Amino acid sequence: MTFADSEEGRALRASVAGYLGRHFPISHARACYDQDGVLDRGTWSQLVGDLGIPAFVLPEAHGGLGAGFAALTVALEEAGRVVLPEPMLPTVWCSIVINEIAEEAVRAEFLPRIASGELIGTIAGFSEAEVQARDSNGSKEPNGTVALNGVASHVVCGATADLVVVLAQDDQRAPILALVDGDAPGMERRQLTALDCTRPLAGLALSEVQPRATIEAVEPERLDRARDLMALVLAAEQLGGARAALDMAVAYANTRVAFGRPIGSFQAIKHKLARVFIAIEAAAAVIPLAAEAADAGSAELSVLAATAKARASEAFVQAASENIQVHGGIGFTWEHDAHLHLKRARSSFELLGNPTVHYHRLAELTETADR
Amino acid sequence: MIENWSAEDFRAHVRHVLGDELPQGWRGYGALMPEQRIEFSRTWRKTMLEHGFLAVTWPSEYGGLGLGGTAHAILAEELVRAGLPTTPLPNDPFGLAMLGPTLLHWGSEEQKQRFLPATLSGEISWAQGFSEPEAGSDLFGLRTSARVMGDNLVINGQKVWQTAGLGANWLFVLVRTDPDAARSKGISFVLVDVDQPGVEVRGIRNLTGDVEFAEVYFTDVLAPIDNVVGGLNNGAKVALTLLGFERGLGGLAAARGFGIELFRLIDLARSRGSWDDPTIRLRLGRCASEVQLILGLARQAMDDVENGRSLRTQTSSMIKLLTAEHRQTTSTLALEILGLDGLVLEGPHAAEWGRPQPLGTTATSSGPWVEDYLNARAGTIYGGSTEIQLNTIAEQVLGLPREAR
């Protein structure tokens, strides 16, 4: 039985959903649109203290809960339902990369501070390789003698993050990870006007920035696994948003009357929403399996994570757009919540690789698989 | 004792048996020449029967192994992996996977004794008499009538779309025994001997040119009332049980079969230089993701069964709909890769019509892909059309208002 279906998994879901429903309903996300997305550190500390999500997959030795991806995906799904605007996802991403790739000393230094909510984190440079890391004095010593130069675009919560994990290239074009303070000297951060106000984006310009820590000789398999894990947790969040959008559409279809009957009684609406359901629930069947593979360290993770990200992306966009369609004119207004899901669906679609990227990867993985 | 084995023990046992029983240099059923297939299937059926693999879930007193649904799913998956038919002869699915479990649930002891061993041995070869020319999706609108005369039902009417109908010597038939009762309430499920006057069977040629299906005409055909299963006028419930078995736990084996098909598709693309085309790779990758979705749903179904929950409505509907559409997607992609060569039939006749081609089937000849493309049209129609599945999900799962009747 998957964790999500177990009594423990159901209890976790109910508890997270209940908490978010009371303290962070979708009206809280809407407030970001009306106020240009102002982050409140007090609210963030409260949220992390109460739910502990950044600690879920981190080891207990470093302040984590050791609860695994099976639990994290359930919790993040519920966060996706309410379009949670707090920087939960980028902080989780940041912690995943450090936990999976950094050496023990770096992990011991940073993970507890992320787990506690002290540090808001994000990642940069994972989509485009535009940051160069070079020795500032010609030697190869770590921690402070490497300087970063370049730009990173579309950094989630880049303007407000305390800690940025940057994927850069060294002189030999080999990957190198650098942990950088958000307000490090030489770091210019420009908040962009985002389509999705609940997922702020920034452009970063780095000029001779000195990182807190660097991880050189990054093994490709570890980087792949980190990417897969980040894609998986985003897919879980997308699933929650998709389910919420479908629930909204079904509720409306059952109550809105036209031509003397609820519009949900028309087959065109029924078939449309059944298709959305299928897209969502098929992706949903893969996510717990991917989480199990993640927790077991199984090689199956790659295929499952790519499938989950690609299919959850498509399902969320489909659910959000059909939700607007079913609502008719009212779904097109600012005041209705439908556009919050549409914009979150669109931004999630592109982050960490759109479906095309993942389908190409799946083709490669299948072609080289054991027969 | 086999009954106490874990799932993994049983899988190991199956692999061991297959390792012993398969001929040297076995490359899969698909590698056999068409003229070798029937002989192989007959011999293989005997081997399956000897090891109890034809009906693993039947109680041992009727010739089965008394194992659960999980064992059946594992066996089917291992057979597909080895390139072996899961149901060796064309009529086997109807007797072994549908009628057999239905009789175990609804049948009297006499019926079980009379029909189950004979079905297992192959002495009785079944086909399904449900659909009629005027009653397909609307099954309970059926008109074939049966009136009680003494100890018999006298049956008049017509049934259509019996898969492997020409090879059947018995039929399980839905008939209307109470014309005054509303729709589903006056229907009975009865077992009919084909070999009697009044039963006329004709083959139906489908769009591939093959005769896979048959239609049956009944003129004053006799069936003893003792052959009614589940009681007079209770046939709708019996039929629904059977249709539930038809959906069943085939998802794992199906996903394995689709995985094998994906490798053939990649081999085809490579052989024609299409692998270098990023749009083809993109579509292949999307097909691969679809196989993962089906596998995920199949494992969800197994999970329900293993944990004593009844199969969720949406799971079987989704598996049926997605597998049917997947076959259309892969076969269409194959034809597009073949291009003009997909307009010419070349290579051996396909071994399967309702499932992906088995291990060992040529990847590069057009013939099997063209047949798959044509045969895949049926998948979204039979066994509950896609439109019906969407209605079911919308009404029974999402709770949207039912269709007006």
Side-chain angles (χ1 to χ4, degrees), chain A residues 13 26 76 107 109 121 135 153 174 201 213 228 230 235 259 262-263 280 289 292-293 304 329 332 347 349 361 363:
Chain A
R13 184 188 295 283
I26 200 169
L76 283 176
R107 294 164 80 230
E109 185 186 342
D135 295 326
S153 42
L201 297 174
D228 287 338
M230 292 195 284
F259 303 107
I263 62 170
I280 293 173
L289 301 177
E292 274 178 9
L304 291 169
F332 189 69
S347 78
F349 187 95
R361 183 143 178 266

Side-chain angles (χ1 to χ4, degrees), chain B residues 13-60:
Chain B
H13 170 69
V14 170
R15 288 193 183 177
H16 184 79
V17 168
L18 297 187
D20 278 346
E21 295 286 4
L22 282 174
Q24 283 277 18
W26 174 252
R27 289 187 297 125
Y29 190 80
L32 294 174
M33 287 289 98
E35 54 272 17
Q36 299 170 300
R37 288 175 191 159
I38 292 187
E39 190 48 49
F40 176 85
S41 291
R42 289 210 179 106
T43 314
W44 181 250
R45 193 184 193 281
K46 291 201 187 94
T47 307
M48 294 260 285
L49 185 58
E50 271 160 29
H51 287 281
F53 284 175
L54 279 183
V56 293
T57 58
W58 293 13
S60 45

Side-chain angles (χ1 to χ4, degrees), chain A residues 270-271 275 314 367 371, chain B residues 270 286 325 391 395:
Chain A
K270 282 204 268 198
H271 283 201
R275 282 285 182 190
E314 290 178 0
E367 207 250 345
R371 295 211 172 187
Chain B
R270 280 213 165 273
R286 196 156 194 279
E325 291 188 348
N391 276 1
E395 293 169 9

Side-chain angles (χ1 to χ4, degrees), chain A residues 12-29:
Chain A
L12 174 67
R13 184 188 295 283
S15 146
V16 175
Y19 176 89
L20 292 175
R22 281 191 303 279
H23 303 294
F24 293 87
I26 200 169
S27 51
H28 172 72

Side-chain angles (χ1 to χ4, degrees), chain A residues 1-2 5 250 254 267 270-271 274-275 277-278 282 303-304 307 311 314 359-360 363 366-367 371, chain B residues 263 266-267 270 275 278 281-282 285-286 289 292-293 303 307 309 318 325 387 390-391 395 401 403:
Chain A
M1 174 178 302
T2 62
D5 278 336
V250 170
N254 268 324
Q267 203 176 75
K270 282 204 268 198
H271 283 201
R275 282 285 182 190
F277 178 88
I278 290 168
V303 167
L304 291 169
T307 298
R311 289 290 179 154
E314 290 178 0
Y359 290 139
H360 273 117
T366 309
E367 207 250 345
R371 295 211 172 187
Chain B
F263 287 132
I266 289 173
D267 288 346
R270 280 213 165 273
W275 184 254
R281 282 205 311 280
L282 169 65
R286 196 156 194 279
S289 73
Q292 291 301 320
L293 298 181
D303 225 35
N307 287 286
R309 295 191 296 257
M318 287 172 64
E325 291 188 348
E387 285 71 22
L390 292 173
N391 276 1
E395 293 169 9
E403 296 286 314

Side-chain angles (χ1 to χ4, degrees), chain B residues 13-295:
Chain B
H13 170 69
V14 170
R15 288 193 183 177
H16 184 79
V17 168
L18 297 187
D20 278 346
E21 295 286 4
L22 282 174
Q24 283 277 18
W26 174 252
R27 289 187 297 125
Y29 190 80
L32 294 174
M33 287 289 98
E35 54 272 17
Q36 299 170 300
R37 288 175 191 159
I38 292 187
E39 190 48 49
F40 176 85
S41 291
R42 289 210 179 106
T43 314
W44 181 250
R45 193 184 193 281
K46 291 201 187 94
T47 307
M48 294 260 285
L49 185 58
E50 271 160 29
H51 287 281
F53 284 175
L54 279 183
V56 293
T57 58
W58 293 13
S60 45
E61 58 261 41
Y62 304 111
L65 290 182
L67 298 176
T70 309
H72 172 82
I74 288 172
L75 173 63
E77 193 192 0
E78 290 300 319
L79 289 169
V80 171
R81 186 202 295 257
L84 289 160
T86 51
T87 45
L89 295 177
N91 294 85
D92 279 332
F94 300 94
L96 301 174
M98 291 184 227
L99 198 264
T102 302
L103 273 184
L104 286 167
H105 187 94
W106 287 104
S108 67
E109 193 52 40
E110 291 76 19
Q111 288 169 337
K112 290 179 202 176
Q113 295 291 349
R114 163 82 178 89
F115 291 107
L116 292 177
T119 300
L120 204 50
S121 71
E123 181 200 327
I124 295 186
S125 199
W126 294 96
Q128 179 177 11
F130 279 16
S131 298
E132 296 180 1
E134 305 300 312
S137 291
D138 184 15
L139 179 60
F140 294 149
L142 65 90
R143 298 180 197 175
T144 296
S145 69
R147 61 180 195 286
V148 176
M149 266 186 42
D151 293 331
N152 288 311
L153 293 182
V154 180
I155 301 171
N156 283 281
Q158 183 192 355
K159 292 292 180 183
V160 73
W161 299 120
Q162 289 83 57
T163 303
L166 289 179
N169 52 21
W170 276 80
L171 301 169
F172 48 90
V173 190
L174 284 178
V175 296
R176 190 166 294 287
T177 35
D178 185 352
D180 298 324
R183 290 181 51 87
S184 67
K185 306 259 189 293
I187 291 174
S188 300
F189 185 106
V190 64
L191 309 177
V192 178
D193 186 348
V194 169
D195 189 18
Q196 61 176 295
V199 177
E200 190 195 345
V201 180
R202 295 185 204 162
I204 298 173
R205 187 178 291 276
N206 68 25
L207 46 58
T208 62
D210 292 328
V211 180
E212 290 288 349
F213 308 104
E215 53 186 352
V216 181
Y217 296 84
F218 301 100
T219 311
D220 293 334
V221 168
L222 297 176
I225 288 192
D226 286 346
N227 283 5
V228 171
V229 180
L232 269 180
N233 299 319
N234 194 36
K237 290 213 180 90
V238 180
L240 289 172
T241 306
L242 186 141
L243 291 172
F245 290 122
E246 197 179 22
R247 304 270 164 75
L249 294 175
L252 280 189
R256 177 72 51 186
F258 289 137
I260 290 170
E261 181 181 64
L262 215 45
F263 287 132
R264 283 179 57 236
L265 202 46
I266 289 173
D267 288 346
L268 174 67
R270 280 213 165 273
S271 76
R272 305 196 49 104
S274 305
W275 184 254
D276 300 330
D277 178 346
T279 63
I280 296 294
R281 282 205 311 280
L282 169 65
R283 290 167 71 180
L284 276 166
R286 196 156 194 279
C287 285
S289 73
E290 201 159 59
V291 177
Q292 291 301 320
L293 298 181
I294 291 166
L295 191 52

